Amino acid sequence: MSEKDVKQLCELAIKAKENSYSPYSHFRVGAALLSGEGKIFTGCNIENAGFTATNCAERTAFFKAISEGTTDFRAIAISGDADDYLYPCGVCRQVMAEFCNLDDFIIYLVKNIDDYKAFTLRELFPGAFTPDELEKGVR
């Protein structure tokens, strides 16, 4: 991805926080997910009084894309209301591993449009459980 494309993804993740429903934690998170076809799906965290029913911004973006027929992904940018980089939770990492190539999928952790870190999914989830491994009986 070009620097311009990365910054656009970061900007959309920051903007996605505006739609966050976070009345309990007051901690907004936004995500912008880039498909293989170049389409961007945004998501925000959506809380619920029954905390286990809460959905992270990353999964909101993934589920939105998947529900519209997209299953090929290249990158995601994640921005939270924090002074530090916000890493995806384990559940979100497992969803990413279900649909993304561990070595090619890039995760951008965004403080602001000019301050972000990039990791491959394998770097953030070295023990990922992938559909291919399950199919081959590796685990």
Side-chain angles (χ1 to χ4, degrees):
M1 287 178 61
S2 73
E3 183 70 18
K4 180 181 174 186
D5 292 336
V6 172
K7 287 190 181 232
Q8 178 190 19
L9 203 62
C10 292
E11 184 176 15
L12 290 170
I14 293 166
K15 185 170 175 34
K17 291 189 295 188
E18 294 172 10
N19 294 326
S20 170
Y21 179 74
S22 47
Y24 306 105
S25 71
H26 306 288
F27 187 83
R28 301 173 312 151
V29 181
L33 176 64
L34 177 65
S35 75
E37 300 83 33
K39 187 171 180 183
I40 297 174
F41 297 86
T42 59
C44 61
N45 58 321
I46 303 167
E47 294 181 349
N48 188 282
F51 289 110
T52 60
T54 293
N55 203 57
C56 297
E58 301 93 304
R59 281 182 282 139
T60 299
F62 268 94
F63 296 162
K64 185 189 296 185
I66 294 161
S67 71
E68 294 180 20
T70 300
T71 57
D72 180 31
F73 305 106
R74 298 288 177 253
I76 192 168
I78 306 163
S79 176
D81 282 344
D83 292 332
D84 204 355
Y85 302 103
L86 182 65
Y87 289 77
C89 74
V91 174
C92 288
R93 293 178 202 202
Q94 186 59 56
V95 168
M96 292 176 198
E98 184 75 18
F99 293 98
C100 304
N101 181 291
L102 296 175
D103 297 308
D104 296 334
F105 185 73
I106 305 298
I107 301 166
Y108 295 97
L109 309 179
V110 182
K111 279 190 186 180
N112 61 60
I113 195 167
D114 294 313
D115 188 359
Y116 58 85
K117 289 183 178 183
F119 298 92
T120 65
L121 179 54
R122 187 177 303 280
E123 287 174 317
L124 292 186
F125 198 14
F129 224 34
T130 65
D132 289 343
E133 289 175 335
L134 290 174
E135 193 173 293
K136 294 175 188 172
V138 174
R139 295 203 183 224

